[in-house]
Amino acid sequence: MNSLIPLLVAAPLAGAALLLLGGRALDRFGHWLATALAALSFGFGLALFSDMLGREAEHRAVTKHLFSWVPVNGFQADVAFRLDQLSMTFVLLITGVGTLIHLYSVGYMAHDERRRRFFAYLNLFLAAMLLLVIADNYLLLYVGWEGVGLASYLLIGFWQHKPSAATAAKKAFVVNRVGDMGLSIAIMLMFAEFGSFAFTPVFDGAHEASEGKLTAIGLMLLLAACGKSAQVPLQSWLGDAMEGPTPVSALIHAATMVTAGVYLITRSSAIFNLAPDARTAVVVVGAVTLLFGAVVGCAKDDIKKALAGSTMSQIGYMVLAAGLGPIGYAFAIMHLVTHGFFKAGLFLGAGSVMHGMNDEVNMRHYGGLWRHMKVTFVTFGLGYLAIIGFPGLSGFFSKDRIIEAAFAKGGTEGWILGLCALVGAAVTAFYMTRVMVLTFFGEKRWQPDESGELPHPHESPRTMTIPMVLLSFGSVFAGGLFAFHDSFLTWLEPVTGHSEGDSPLSSWTVTGLTTACMLAGVGLAYLMYWRSPVPVVPPVGSPLTRAARRDLLQDDINHAVLVRPGSALTATLVWFDSRGLDGFVNGLAATIGGLSGRLRRIQNGFVRSYALSMFGGTLVLVASTLLMRSV
Amino acid sequence: MSALLTATCVVPAAGAVLTAALPAGSTEARRRTTKAVALGVSAVALVLAAVVAARFDPHGARYQLTESYSWIRSFGITFSLGVDGIGAVLALLTAVLVPVVILASWHDADPVAPGPDGAGGADGSEAGTIEGKRRTQGFFALILAVEAMVIVSFYATDVFLFYVFFEAMLIPMYFLIGGFGDRAGGPESARQRSYAAVKFLLYNLLGGLVMLAAVIGLYVLAQDQGVATFDLRTLTDAVADGRLQLSGTADKALFLGFFFAFAVKAPLWPLHTWLPNAMGEATAGTAVLITAVVDKVGTFAMLRFCLGLFPDASRTFAPAILVLSLVGIVYGALLAIGQKDIKRLVAYASISHFGFIIMGIFALTSQGQSGATLYMVNHGISTAAWMLVAGFLISRRGSRLIADYGGVQKVAPVLAGTFLIGGLATLSLPGLAPFVSEFLVLVGTFTRYPAVGIVATFGIVLAALYALLLYQRTMTGPVKEGVRAMPDLKARELAVVAPLVALTVLLGVYPRPLTDLVNPSVDATLSQVHRTDPAPVHPVAASSGGERK
Amino acid sequence: MNPVNYLYLAALLFTIGAAGVLVRRNAIVLFMCVELMLNASNLALVTFSRLHGTLDGQVIAFFTMVVAAAEVVVGLAIIVSIFRTRHSASVDDSNLMKL
């Protein structure tokens, strides 16, 4: 059975290679091939899952050593896989949601001439993401880590003829590279400390290492997580990443890739458990991002960017939970999975709306769409209810647990974190209601496109609606299923461990508070966007709104702090290289040239003067030799 | 004593003579014969080099397949060849790249038809140009001559023999740079090319002369202590067992003499400024020869000669050299970001990579040195891919300026795709070959000098910037005027790029064949320097992740 | 006889030759003086060879003779051609070696 593990990665990888190398011959059915391979990988995942369920909880983790990758003295990097409950959760999420999104893309990309390549990249993404979650050492994880970065780069920039898409793709890759730097430094620290970076030796050895080292490793891992999961301060790429086709936003920038940071932190729980300072940093990053993303989400008029802000904020919740330590790991992953369902569903819904509205993304130009796209409306609505934490739906269970855990952290910290999370819940409800109302309710504010025609919204084809329906099942039921008898917690506990904190508030109180916050958010949005007319041209707004529209000035800050000094430095160095270093060399050459021009005059062409100088030279040589001898 | 090594060196040399002697003439058929002969000879050399690498037994003696013929007996100079794992791998790299370069340069040496804008018409007016009927023959003969000399340098186990060929390869390189341009530089190009060729020659000659002084000095000192030989093995053994003891000053001075020559060739910051000129003005094929083949002799020689002959001085100077290489990494990358010229950008990227290689060598850890050796190979392959595709691009548009391109991806997707792969390899994407070596170098450096390792890691962010900026500016966005009718890669060009891309992927996923060859030689080198790897603070018994034989 | 005397003779011949090169203007005479110097060094080489009991010096002397002969051929040809064009064999009349 274990030999199936490499096939998880191999199937989509083969698909990517085939589609990229196969040429035009595959244009006609390549997308179905890719979808089939994604489904095949999902099938392997299910088979392994049922196999895993058949074993006792403590024997569920299996490893598979494939070959020795980089054998150098004292340095062993293997291609080895580990499939335990945590990776299994991810494998199913990735392949499951991945397959659905492949299917959706068949319809969504039907008219794109480069569809074959799109599917190749999607398959490449699946392979890299699966590698990331089943790697048995950090270096192999790093391969998957950058692999998903590459896939994300290729897919964000899929419409390369748009300069904005190309820029966004490059920005995503470079910002991610900053995070990757953290990961590689973390690996180097592990190697210097433990002589290995495979999971087992590192986790077993962690308790022997000094806390300072562990904190350093933890902070570097956090930096990596910040890059991949778009957490403050490396959050700036996610909004721009919405330049990519919508299925990409759903799969990569909502459901799977961006949650890799949470996976990394949870996977490294053995390190974080022993490094409280690093955990504090994680919690702070999570809390700040969850508010940051929520605020940005409130101000955006572009439906995908509003959802991107929301993604950032929801991942902030997960990071916060992961930073709480054993109290929160399992809930972080639980929220990750439910979020995977409802956020993917929301994005697919947004894609469906755009599909029907001539690729219009501005929500102020929507309105009243529920009448025209019923399936989209219902599935989007269910996703909406799930994300705001409507009682009984997925998001309610997972988010509620995180807020509880935040309070359970105890002390002042617990109160601060809990309140942040509660405020976040309220803001989430506000901006999601805003999205919902602006898009589906109210009057039609449709605008004519370039050719002067008004859009004719229509329901999307089956290939697109079926994935949306299936995902909405997940949005509705997953949370309840996971919370039932704490089944998810029991499932993950052997990997992540679990401890109950001591919450100052009873769990019912927290649930009540959360629901109250949610209702407050919904109510405010209802008043602002349902009861009063929505202007087509956005009002000027408060300074905060204006800042939030510019992503709370993230790009301005990056520009002022990094880009401008950087390009000035580069320009200076270019000048220095050509004028300074090379100028020195050329100057030297010119000096020698001038000098020899002078010396040339001695060469007067008269044989006898040459002879004289030769004799003079010989005399000097002989004299100096004699002199040296006598000394 | 088999003559395999000699044969490997002689085949390209004889091929060079043969190619040069082929009937001259400007007809297409004659030119094609010339090219076919050159390609065939380089293929034979590739087979021989592969046989050498295959017959090298990693667990056997340090130097194998040794041959020795007396040459200048009174000075103890012999024509001795022998391979260790490092030399075998690098000679193989050379033998792989030369046929690729020949195929890529297929039309670069065709007679120059004066272009509409007069570009290229100015050829022949400056020093170092080869004009007339023998132009094609000359170009390919020079390439084969370079190959022969480089392979001798990798196989030489005699210091003097090495020196002779280390210097001699400057001559064909000078003519390759000065005589054949990429026809994209406008009327100014001939003058700039001549400047680049002279600069290349002067820099490297200066380095070579300093080395010559050091070689003679070493001989004189060794002779005083009864080791009157240039034989590398005898000398290193004598150094190791104390028969040859150099005083501290002499040791340092001689080390610096050797190192200076290698640092110019490598090139190490701040001795690098010849490289962008040379790579910018030469044809893409020649640029690949420079950066992927000839420069590797410099880094290779640091490993073999500097460390083996002067272990004490190597340890003394290692921190200073590390700082220089660190500066080179960051400096090269920053300058690459600021370039307007595609080929100069690749050149500065190479400078950054050479920083990594030298850093790996002088970190004096087995990871660092294995990494550095792999880096030499991987950089050779990936930069060749990147540069050659850039060359194809430039030959289509007739401009080296980044600003003249845009949206190429739309009209020539395969060209753009391979260019992207080259760029991704350059930025060390995991899964591609350069990642393995770069990470090994970083880890190897980090375990001994953590701060240096961390700063060097910034290089990977900068690499992402220059590689992707170049791709974005040339390949994406709206299609620029002048690019609109650009054809995609032709069959010949695909045949050039495909093996390079395949090797990049293969060595990224399964570098084991290389590491197996290289590791024992690296250990031998390290033990010469009396250095062992820093032990981990809390070593974990080689458990689950460990090697299972 | 003491071989050192031959060295004195060689030194004397060399000096005469050198002085001749320096003071005379006629190219032919100059040339003869150069030959004198070469022969002086040949004499010294042979003497040293005798002194050290090895053959190296004598071998080199032969080399010198061969080279000298070759040089005379080329040199005389140059002088003759200069004389033909300039109608003078004085070395001070021509400074063609100046760039």
Side-chain angles (χ1 to χ4, degrees), chain A residues 600 603-608 610-612 615, chain C residues 18 21-25 37 92 95 97-98:
Chain A
R600 203 182 59 180
Q603 309 278 317
N604 53 16
F606 291 109
V607 175
R608 293 194 306 149
Y610 292 163
L612 186 61
F615 281 116
Chain C
V21 169
L22 287 180
V23 300
R24 297 301 296 265
R25 291 189 188 152
M37 286 159 71
D92 284 3
N95 55 356
M97 280 164 75
K98 195 167 142 184

Side-chain angles (χ1 to χ4, degrees), chain A residues 317-394:
Chain A
Y317 271 109
M318 301 170 208
V319 170
L320 169 69
L324 294 171
I327 319 174
Y329 291 131
F331 302 134
I333 302 298
M334 181 164 150
H335 191 53
L336 192 156
V337 176
T338 57
H339 173 258
F341 290 130
F342 58 68
K343 186 54 69 64
L346 287 170
F347 264 111
L348 294 189
S352 174
V353 169
M354 286 159 57
H355 201 70
M357 294 290 287
N358 294 347
D359 288 330
E360 175 66 76
V361 291
N362 192 337
M363 292 188 288
R364 290 184 187 274
H365 298 169
Y366 294 161
L369 288 176
W370 70 274
R371 215 183 279 281
H372 301 274
M373 338 177 66
K374 297 236 165 59
V375 181
T376 307
F377 167 62
V378 171
T379 53
F380 196 93
L382 288 173
Y384 156 73
L385 289 177
I387 193 174
I388 64 171
F390 192 81
L393 275 70
S394 287

Side-chain angles (χ1 to χ4, degrees), chain C residues 61-77:
Chain C
F62 278 115
F63 273 107
T64 317
M65 280 181 212
V66 173
V67 171
E71 179 213 328
V72 166
V73 173
V74 178
L76 274 178

Side-chain angles (χ1 to χ4, degrees), chain A residues 606-630:
Chain A
F606 291 109
V607 175
R608 293 194 306 149
S609 88
Y610 292 163
L612 186 61
S613 52
M614 273 161 68
F615 281 116
T618 317
L619 267 182
V620 172
L621 278 179
V622 171
S624 52
T625 313
L626 290 176
L627 207 66
M628 291 302 285
R629 281 266 168 92
S630 63

Side-chain angles (χ1 to χ4, degrees), chain B residues 346-383:
Chain B
V346 178
Y348 278 106
S350 284
I351 291 169
S352 179
H353 290 304
F354 278 111
F356 274 109
I357 297 176
I358 298 173
M359 190 170 90
I361 294 173
F362 282 92
L364 300 179
T365 56
S366 45
Q367 297 93 40
Q369 292 194 344
S370 291
T373 311
L374 291 188
Y375 212 129
M376 291 183 219
V377 177
N378 297 338
H379 170 259
I381 296 169
S382 61
T383 306

Side-chain angles (χ1 to χ4, degrees), chain A residues 400 403-404 407 422 503 505-515:
Chain A
D400 191 49
I403 298 173
E404 250 177 67
F407 278 112
L422 274 179
S503 177
L505 303 171
S506 77
S507 93
W508 286 109
T509 321
V510 173
T511 309
L513 280 173
T514 312
T515 313

Side-chain angles (χ1 to χ4, degrees), chain B residues 172-199:
Chain B
M173 283 315 300
Y174 169 77
F175 286 109
L176 280 174
I177 298 170
F180 305 89
D182 65 5
R183 302 173 194 177
E188 273 286 276
S189 69
R191 207 178 56 75
Q192 282 172 1
R193 203 157 62 232
S194 163
Y195 170 75
V198 171
K199 195 171 177 184

